[in-house]
Amino acid sequence: MGNTSKPGSVVAREIDHDPFEVDGEQYLVQELLWNGIDGRSYDLVRRRDGQILTEDESFDGYPTDAQIALVLEKHGVDVELETCKFCRKEILLATARRHDNGWVGNACCWDDRLHMTA
Ligand SMILES: [Zn+2]
């Protein structure tokens, strides 16, 4: 005992995921682990000034490219989207990988095996 913090009220750990660049600005997804609960939250952070763009509502899971695009657009960022050739999801052009004549989502479908054949 001795810990009076309410479960879920204190950040136990922060994990910064790989940054990516959209329209000349770097962003990253920050994963937060909370004290006493299993749930995690994910925020979109602008690297330049540490501004959290998802302050009103964090994501419960790692956001998809389409979710990231929505948040960025709300903040006035011009986001270019493409369609993943494998899963047909909307993907950020900024992080998409060129593969043959199409694009592959970095988060959804890209893995290093594709890199060998690209
Ligand atoms: Zn995909």
Side-chain angles (χ1 to χ4, degrees), residues 19-85:
F20 54 92
E21 193 171 307
V22 178
D23 205 20
E25 186 86 65
Q26 291 215 325
Y27 301 89
L28 60 82
V29 172
Q30 190 173 63
E31 180 177 351
L32 300 180
L33 280 63
W34 299 87
N35 66 314
I37 57 170
D38 291 334
R40 297 175 175 206
S41 57
Y42 297 77
D43 285 312
L44 186 63
V45 179
R46 186 166 62 205
R47 258 187 129 191
R48 175 165 52 89
D49 53 6
Q51 173 81 37
I52 297 169
L53 304 182
T54 42
E55 212 154 45
D56 299 339
E57 200 174 351
S58 302
F59 298 110
D60 298 331
Y62 195 94
T64 63
D65 281 5
Q67 288 176 310
I68 290 172
L70 267 180
V71 173
L72 290 178
E73 277 170 354
K74 247 196 259 173
H75 286 80
V77 180
D78 196 12
V79 184
E80 285 185 274
L81 290 171
E82 272 293 340
T83 305
C84 176
K85 66 184 267 191

Side-chain angles (χ1 to χ4, degrees), residues 83-89 91 103-110:
T83 305
C84 176
K85 66 184 267 191
F86 292 119
C87 68
R88 315 305 302 171
K89 271 193 225 159
I91 54 174
W103 295 94
V104 179
N106 188 49
C108 58
C109 297
W110 182 262

